[in-house]
Amino acid sequence: MEKYSTFAGLLSAGIPPGADFSLHLRALEEEEGANPNFFHGLDEDDIAALFAVSSVKAFAPGEAVFRQGEAHEGIFVILCGKIRVYYLGPSGRELTLAYWSAGNFVGGPHIFGECQHMWSGQAEEAAEVLVVPGTGMRALIERRPRLAVALVEAMAHKGKCFSSLIQMLGTRSAAERLAQLLLLMAEMGGQRIGDRVIINRTLTQDELARLVGATRQWISATLERLREKGLIEVAPDRIVILDEARLRCSR
């Protein structure tokens, strides 16, 4: 109940758990807004009931939260940290679907279990999640409308995100997707200094490749071409966008 008390206190104080943004490939024109918070709109009784049927579990960086093909038994609401959700293809190649932060849930699209996970989830950093069994969730939403609404809103948000990802993969080239990803990272957490935008490097070239559906070698070569064109600077700990307007035109 200690975790319940902590989150109930944050909600009553008006501080949303997980003010950070999630990262997923989307068109810049789409309105993202504030990061969704599964707990928003729930009262303390709803939260207490949710925690009563659930358990809190901690994951170390790189540890699997759930695996593609394993039995699905429920969902995982992120309390802190980030979870990378990815699909593993028959060839062994990974495609990152999103990095979800606190306030989101992972483990969908199924909610109530009795099936297999369609993709995998892995802790990107130290994380804690609320493990909500499918049977418990089903029983709760039958008598708690606010929880049912929160679940529907969260599922609608994820549907929009994955729809946008499919559109990007199907209609944009890998080069356009990489430019888009750099602009998204600048929009979400970039530091603007004059005409430059500094993006602190939290993703490796391998991780960038898995987000845009390319290889690390291709990412390295394409970043070098963008550097030669004067659009970006690349350093071990950051990427600096030098000409945002031209980078937008390249996507």
Side-chain angles (χ1 to χ4, degrees), residues 40-118:
H40 181 70
L42 303 183
D43 64 19
E44 291 194 16
D45 287 341
D46 293 325
I47 298 171
L50 184 62
F51 272 76
V53 303
S54 309
S55 59
V56 175
K57 187 172 182 180
F59 293 90
E63 188 176 357
V65 180
F66 56 94
R67 291 185 176 88
Q68 183 176 325
E70 287 185 342
H72 185 290
E73 298 179 349
I75 63 171
F76 309 84
V77 184
I78 306 172
L79 302 179
C80 64
K82 283 191 177 181
I83 306 295
R84 179 175 78 96
V85 175
Y86 64 95
Y87 175 76
L88 183 64
S91 66
R93 184 173 173 180
E94 294 180 5
L95 175 66
T96 296
L97 305 177
Y99 289 88
W100 297 114
S101 57
N104 288 276
F105 81 84
V106 295
H110 301 290
I111 302 296
F112 304 125
E114 301 178 355
C115 56
Q116 293 181 333
H117 283 289
M118 297 180 65

Side-chain angles (χ1 to χ4, degrees), residues 16 40 59-60 81 86 138 140 142 148 157 183 185 210 241 250:
H40 181 70
F59 293 90
Y86 64 95
R138 183 186 291 274
L140 283 177
E142 287 177 351
H157 175 72
L183 292 167
M185 294 169 67
R210 288 192 286 264
I241 297 178
S250 69

Side-chain angles (χ1 to χ4, degrees), residues 94-159:
E94 294 180 5
L95 175 66
T96 296
L97 305 177
Y99 289 88
W100 297 114
S101 57
N104 288 276
F105 81 84
V106 295
H110 301 290
I111 302 296
F112 304 125
E114 301 178 355
C115 56
Q116 293 181 333
H117 283 289
M118 297 180 65
W119 41 72
S120 300
Q122 181 184 59
E124 173 67 10
E125 56 192 44
E128 289 188 348
V129 303
L130 186 67
V131 183
V132 188
T135 52
M137 178 63 85
R138 183 186 291 274
L140 283 177
I141 65 173
E142 287 177 351
R143 62 179 189 272
R144 292 188 174 273
R146 282 184 294 267
L147 186 58
V149 169
L151 189 60
V152 169
E153 288 179 342
M155 292 176 67
H157 175 72
K158 289 199 182 304

